[in-house]
Amino acid sequence: MNSLSAIRRGNPALGFDKSLPPSQEDAILRALTRKVNPADRGDIEPNMAAAFAQSDFSECLKAIAAALELGRVILPVVPHAVTAENPCSSGSLPQLQLEKVAGVRAVPVFSCVSTFEAAIKTVLAAALLNEDAQGETTSSASARPLPVNARALALTALNNPGRILLDGRYLLPRPLLNALASGDEWLPAWENPNFLTQISLLVEQVFPGASWSVVPRPAGIDQLLIALDPTITDLADALNSLQNRINCLENLRESVDLLAVTPVPTS
């Protein structure tokens, strides 16, 4: 099934209810909530609030990664009926289709309960992928907020779909989740000297002398912005060639999840 099946006992302020006995609770859910503070009332954590205060988006993402090392996030879970024939001993995380990137999904999480509640009333209610294995569809309006340890969630999300979307705006890609799950410091693609050297060589092969930069974008994958004259002959073919070469880079996923070549007009 595509949504977690039970709500674990927790703080009433977070809206938990006990749907199943411990023997039938979802194994993933139990693992994710193992280190959560039972006194958590769902407010945004101080380190995350400080990260959001960063005016530069790239610096904000780095601060978010640091805040998640010892932090928690709010995961939406959707309860549904459990029978003796289908005790639902395992499951998978809820997923969203990213609006800006075709075919790319992420686990939706939230920094606090108030942000979760606002999303349930708008975007999440329409976009949460929550059809179970029998093809029955539950309403995402029935989703409940579950506080989970960020590192444990990162380890689980790496298997499927490999990304987390925080508050509908901050995409946490595979390299970040890898670093978080293993306790390492995340090195963003736009600061990774080895990766940038490889990109520089590829750009020079296709567009000699062109100016470029790697930048993150809200709720989307990183972009390779490259300044080009729009009148260049066979520009579309050249851009496709550069994108294909980037996609074929060895160990690409260790540095960046995905990278979209995006031309901008030369000034």
Side-chain angles (χ1 to χ4, degrees):
M1 63 190 64
N2 288 336
S3 57
L4 294 176
S5 61
I7 304 296
R8 189 172 179 81
R9 186 187 304 276
N11 191 328
L14 293 180
F16 297 158
D17 60 349
K18 185 66 174 177
S19 301
L20 298 174
S23 62
Q24 291 182 313
E25 285 184 340
D26 190 289
I28 292 177
L29 185 148
R30 293 201 307 273
L32 291 179
T33 58
R34 191 170 295 139
K35 296 181 180 180
V36 171
N37 178 6
D40 184 3
R41 297 188 61 84
D43 298 328
I44 189 170
E45 295 182 325
N47 288 342
M48 187 64 73
F52 287 173
Q54 295 280 347
S55 58
D56 181 81
F57 189 69
S58 60
E59 292 300 315
C60 177
L61 287 175
K62 291 165 57 180
I64 287 173
L68 292 174
E69 291 178 4
L70 298 175
R72 67 95 175 97
V73 291
I74 303 297
L75 178 73
V77 293
V78 182
H80 61 76
V82 174
T83 66
E85 293 76 20
N86 180 25
C88 193
S89 60
S90 63
S92 58
L93 295 170
Q95 299 180 22
L96 287 175
Q97 169 67 52
L98 295 184
E99 294 182 1
K100 298 181 179 180
V101 194
V104 174
R105 296 181 179 181
V107 175
V109 300
F110 301 91
S111 58
C112 59
V113 166
S114 60
T115 305
F116 159 84
E117 291 174 341
I120 285 295
K121 295 176 182 178
T122 55
V123 179
L124 189 63
L128 188 60
L129 306 178
N130 55 13
E131 293 184 358
D132 65 25
Q134 284 73 41
E136 300 176 357
T137 302
T138 57
S139 169
S140 57
S142 66
R144 299 292 182 266
L146 183 74
V148 299
N149 177 271
R151 287 188 64 182
L153 179 61
L155 184 60
T156 305
L158 275 171
N159 293 326
N160 186 25
R163 305 167 191 89
I164 290 175
L165 183 64
L166 174 66
D167 285 356
R169 174 175 172 81
Y170 308 98
L171 183 64
L172 314 181
R174 281 191 178 91
L176 192 160
L177 299 190
N178 268 316
L180 183 60
S182 60
D184 295 333
E185 183 177 356
W186 174 52
L187 180 61
W190 58 89
E191 294 184 1
N192 186 326
N194 294 330
F195 177 69
L196 295 178
T197 296
Q198 294 181 76
I199 296 298
S200 179
L201 293 173
L202 293 182
V203 170
E204 189 64 22
Q205 292 172 10
V206 182
F207 298 107
S211 299
W212 58 274
S213 61
V214 174
V215 298
R217 60 173 176 166
I221 62 177
D222 294 344
Q223 289 181 313
L224 171 62
L225 298 181
I226 181 167
L228 297 171
D229 181 348
T231 65
I232 292 177
T233 303
D234 297 327
L235 178 59
D237 290 340
L239 289 170
N240 286 334
S241 174
L242 178 59
Q243 183 71 71
N244 290 334
R245 296 184 190 200
I246 291 174
N247 294 345
C248 292
L249 278 176
E250 186 176 359
N251 300 325
L252 174 69
R253 292 295 178 88
E254 295 180 5
S255 303
V256 65
D257 186 4
L258 296 168
L259 186 65
V261 176
T262 307
V264 295
T266 54
S267 56

